[in-house]
Amino acid sequence: MNKTGAQIFWECLEREGVDVIFGYPGGATLPIYDALVTSKIHHVLVRHEQGASHMADGYARASGRVGVALATSGPGATNLITGIATALMDSSPTVFITGQVSSPLIGYDAFQETDVTGITLPITKHNYLITDVNDIAPTIREAFFLAKSGRPGPVLIDITKDAQQATIDWEYDDQPAHLPGYRPDFRPANSEFERAVEMIHNAKKPLILAGHGILISGAMEEVLEFAERTQTPVADTLLGLGAFPGSHSLSLGMMGMHGEAWVNKAIQEADLLLAFGMRFDDRVTGKISHYAPKAKKIHIEIDPSEINKNVQVDIALVGDLKEILQKMLPSISTVDHTEWLEEINTLRGHSAVRDIKNLPDNGHLYAAHVINALWQVTKGEAIIVSDVGQNQMWTAQYYRHDKPNTSITSGGLGTMGFGLPGGIGAKFAKPDQEVWVIAGDGGIQMTQAELSTIAQEGIKVNIAILNNGYLGMVRQWQEFFYDKRYSATPMKGPDLVKIAEAHGLTGIRVSSRDEVVDAIEAARKNPGTVLIDFKVEKEDSVYPMVPTGAAIDAMIRRPLPESVIQES
Amino acid sequence: MRHTFVALVEDKPGVLNRVVSVFRRRTFNIESLTVGRTHQEGISRITIVVDSDKTDVVRIMPYMYKLINVLQVEDLTYQPHVNRDLAMVKINATPENRAAIMQLAEVFRARVVDVTNNSLIIEITGDEEKIDGFVDVLRPYGIIEMVRTGIIAMERGASTLINNMGENQNYELPIEFKMA
Ligand SMILES: Cc1ncc(C[n+]2csc(CCOP(=O)(O)OP(=O)(O)O)c2C)c(N)n1
Ligand SMILES: [Mg+2]
């Protein structure tokens, strides 16, 4: 049948199972937008292409399916960049589509021409420039396959306007993608397996480092089985939260720069680290030369380029985590590690006294109270999409996730402004689930315009702003390491309640501890989107903290108030 | 120390840019780079020489493999291999000294490919040392211009890069990955 490139485009997306796309039109995508009218796919009109990019990413992380964003050439495409880089750093399966000027104009600095494949080369898993209508279908096929297989990531397709407009006689065919140089199917050698099993059985103080790879691979059950059978405690990376049930007795909590003190201590004491789908990011390891000095390391990872990148390991099993654990589990025996678990529990007990939740009520509202209340009211079952900064770390510390893919945040790139659009994307992925966006007063203002998208789409996303009047995380570094010179971190924000109301949404302001739970409950009951502006303690810091360049157990701890010191 | 990597890549626009970006991004320094067709349609071959003092060579193979258009990569440094460089040297040559220069060329098995009243172009192939040596002896005569292709390399014996393609189904860490 005769079809235009634009019609082929939408049919191919439908065949890939796309039900929603986040986008913003322009001259170079006019043919695609014209053909959208007859497509079954729901198009969400964003307010800035960065919003579209994070929505696609949030959608992908909440659902495990490929998230798709669409932008026009030139400025539309460049506005996607932050979101593409964010998706790459966090291995998020996403496809970005950009319109390009007509092929005869490429290279002539035509109106709104940008070398998008050039710009995005280092921030995509792969990218394509399509100038021929015949390439549209096979390229979309390859792009989706690449985005979701192996170590997932963003793939960009730049399609010229003339390719969108051209007509060919075309039928869909589902030939698998032909990618001779792409091998997502690595498997470890058997000899490596045997060595790993022996190492695991000989360990006295093993520790699982649970990363995002568990969620991507869908290996939650296998990891649980492994941890229980070998009585191995589990520490999470930021993106690994939810991969192992947070309330399980073997769950220790988050590791790294703002990880729990007992977790970092346990890493330093461990004699075996089992790194499951994590990449030893510098925020996790602290000073590499002092990292886990007593531990042998087994790294299970699908991306061979991660092996020995940051930390030298003793055994590397390269491949899909779920497959590898399934193959390994039958040879794993029951082991008892009571002593080791008790040792960690003692460390944990020492830290509890510094937890803001346990400190005497001084009448102030701390962010930890808000997140803790949110966790309790929502029974830990909401999808939590956090922004970046102190709010992100408090969320990670105080919201415990028992279910996979319920914690979504920009980890690798640390992109402020991710939260709100990320949450919108998550809501489209899981319309029946409760979604909470948690952002700082700085981050919300970066992508605040998407409140308007929420209003137009009529969706319900709950928004909690931890409003401290500062670019808090930067202020914290200035407090600790720059003699409290608060350079460019105090921030006067708009009245966020009015901002919500101006968009036809509901706004609530909370300034004291006793209003927190009521406000959260009111927001949940409201059928529409509610933004709660929590006026939290202005100069609170995230504790504990590993200063950059320090070993992970050299942590700055929360100072104890006089009253507590005298008591103990 | 110098490392010689060879890669088979899909012959498509932009692929060289992707390969080079791996180096550029990490400020790895490329000493020499050659690209050309192979006997198989659609497949190009790249030879890259880097200095391991300036480059984290251990990372190169995994990063190259990560590129979708890269079919196969090998580090030939520790394998018996032949490498060749080709140079053309344009040199001042008067009727008086022309014979002497041509004699030198013969000693190095170089070939004269262009002659004028006052110049010669001499072509020489060989490994880098041989070419360096030849250039040194020509220098006193006055080199006007020189061009070199950069190294191309090939494994000795019957095994080929193409035969090794797809061998990684049962993934064992490549040499550089192996832990000490
Ligand atoms: C796009 C972007 N710009 C700058 C930064 C650097 N940065 C990291 S945290 C932070 C402060 C965030 O302030 P706010 O959103 O109010 O959150 P808080 O830390 O106060 O919770 C900044 C500026 C960043 N991560 N992302
Ligand atoms: Mg703030």
Side-chain angles (χ1 to χ4, degrees), chain A residues 48-55 79-80 82-83 415-417 421 446-447:
Chain A
H48 185 293
E49 290 86 351
Q50 182 187 351
S53 65
H54 296 322
M55 287 178 208
N79 275 350
L80 290 174
T82 304
T415 307
M416 276 174 74
M446 284 206 166
T447 47

Side-chain angles (χ1 to χ4, degrees), chain A residues 520-538:
Chain A
I520 293 170
E521 274 167 357
R524 296 181 82 209
K525 277 195 207 101
N526 192 313
T529 288
V530 177
L531 179 153
I532 313 177
D533 183 20
F534 289 101
K535 296 281 193 190
V536 296
E537 184 72 9
K538 295 181 82 137

Side-chain angles (χ1 to χ4, degrees), chain A residues 96-129:
Chain A
F96 294 93
I97 291 132
T98 48
Q100 181 56 279
V101 300
S102 280
S103 51
L105 297 175
I106 287 185
Y108 289 89
D109 303 325
F111 178 63
Q112 295 194 327
E113 182 195 352
T114 302
D115 175 9
V116 177
T117 43
I119 294 176
T120 59
L121 188 142
I123 54 167
T124 49
K125 182 168 174 182
H126 197 56
N127 65 18
Y128 297 90
L129 169 62

